Amino acid sequence: MSDTGVAAWSALLRVHAALVPQLDRELQAACGLPLTWYDVLLELNAAPGRRLSMGELGAVAVVSRSRVSRVVDQLAADGLVTREANPDDRRSAYATITEAGRARLRAAAPVYLGGIERHFTAHLAAAESRTVATALGKVIAALDRS
């Protein structure tokens, strides 16, 4: 691996390690919403029918697959999602965002997007943002194929 490749990987890890806790603190302070909750609500809101199986949610959410069930239980306790048994497979369940969850997501979006702008994109030129998005998209596509 080249020094440039190692430097890119190292920078990605450092940015992630610094930015995720920062966004989490800002969301919790402003909205009482942990970043993991925001991410799950965001994925559910974007899903067809605004619902995903727990396995699908574990594959797309930033929260680890092992924590998805616990996060969904917490969101359900707050009335932000519902958990529904899969009638075709009793071993699996669906999570569906509620109207209260959608309202909470909309209320938190300006804080989340503002944090991304302040702490990430404000430090990149538009061309650099496109390059980062394209490069990381290639990595995601390769991982999806494997």
Side-chain angles (χ1 to χ4, degrees):
M1 178 183 293
S2 71
D3 289 347
T4 304
V6 171
W9 176 247
S10 177
L12 176 66
L13 292 178
R14 288 191 321 251
V15 166
H16 184 269
L19 189 51
V20 166
Q22 181 67 36
L23 290 174
D24 185 58
R25 284 189 298 274
E26 291 177 9
L27 276 170
Q28 289 202 50
C31 310
L33 195 69
L35 182 58
T36 54
W37 286 25
Y38 184 90
D39 181 51
V40 168
L41 292 174
L42 185 66
E43 294 297 344
L44 289 173
N45 194 56
R50 295 192 173 91
R51 87 174 188 173
L52 292 169
S53 71
M54 299 304 285
E56 291 167 330
L57 186 55
V60 297
V62 175
V63 65
S64 70
R65 286 181 190 232
S66 61
R67 287 197 55 218
V68 161
S69 185
R70 186 169 64 227
V71 171
V72 167
D73 287 343
Q74 293 167 338
L75 288 164
D78 271 20
L80 304 179
V81 303
T82 59
R83 182 191 276 260
E84 305 158 11
N86 181 343
D88 300 325
D89 179 3
R90 295 219 178 262
R91 295 169 298 162
S92 68
Y94 289 102
T96 305
I97 191 169
T98 64
E99 284 304 315
R102 294 188 74 215
R104 192 87 178 269
L105 179 65
R106 282 191 302 274
V111 175
Y112 177 76
L113 296 172
I116 291 170
E117 171 63 26
R118 273 189 318 284
H119 304 301
F120 186 70
T121 58
H123 306 288
L124 301 172
E128 291 171 320
S129 290
R130 281 190 298 277
T131 299
V132 169
T134 299
L136 294 178
K138 289 178 181 179
V139 174
I140 292 295
L143 290 170
D144 287 346
R145 287 190 302 270
S146 61

